Amino acid sequence: LLAVTTRYEGVPNATILIYQTRQTREWTEREISFVSEVAYFASISIHRALKLLESRLETASFRSALESSKTGYQSALLDVSE
């Protein structure tokens, strides 16, 4: 089993596990280095995906609040005009 934790700015955000089922083996330094590089790029991608999700949730929340305020404003206008 080869396990490498992905980290973004020192904070763990995932773990990559590689397991060979047919036989027990020792991972070479080159293989470990390769997986470590993949983990580095994965950590950046995970961080960016989480930031994008956070941004979309904030946008949805903002739109919902805007729609609520529009509805309230339109109701108030109707009450005044009657």
Side-chain angles (χ1 to χ4, degrees):
L1 175 69
L2 174 60
V4 178
T5 300
T6 64
R7 297 175 187 277
Y8 185 81
E9 295 181 348
V11 178
N13 61 4
T15 301
I16 296 175
L17 300 172
I18 301 176
Y19 181 73
Q20 185 168 342
T21 58
R22 292 195 180 139
Q23 63 189 23
T24 304
R25 63 173 291 178
E26 291 291 319
W27 298 94
T28 67
E29 204 48 49
R30 187 173 176 195
E31 292 167 327
I32 294 168
S33 179
F34 174 75
V35 174
S36 294
E37 282 206 37
V38 169
Y40 169 76
F41 289 107
S43 70
I44 294 169
S45 297
I46 291 166
H47 176 76
R48 288 182 177 172
L50 291 172
K51 287 296 181 184
L52 179 60
L53 177 60
E54 183 180 292
S55 174
R56 287 183 176 172
L57 291 173
E58 287 174 3
T59 300
S61 177
F62 176 76
R63 284 185 179 157
S64 177
L66 183 60
E67 286 301 316
S68 293
S69 66
K70 279 183 184 178
T71 303
Y73 177 73
Q74 289 168 345
S75 267
L77 285 177
L78 286 174
D79 290 343
V80 171
S81 67
E82 291 177 351

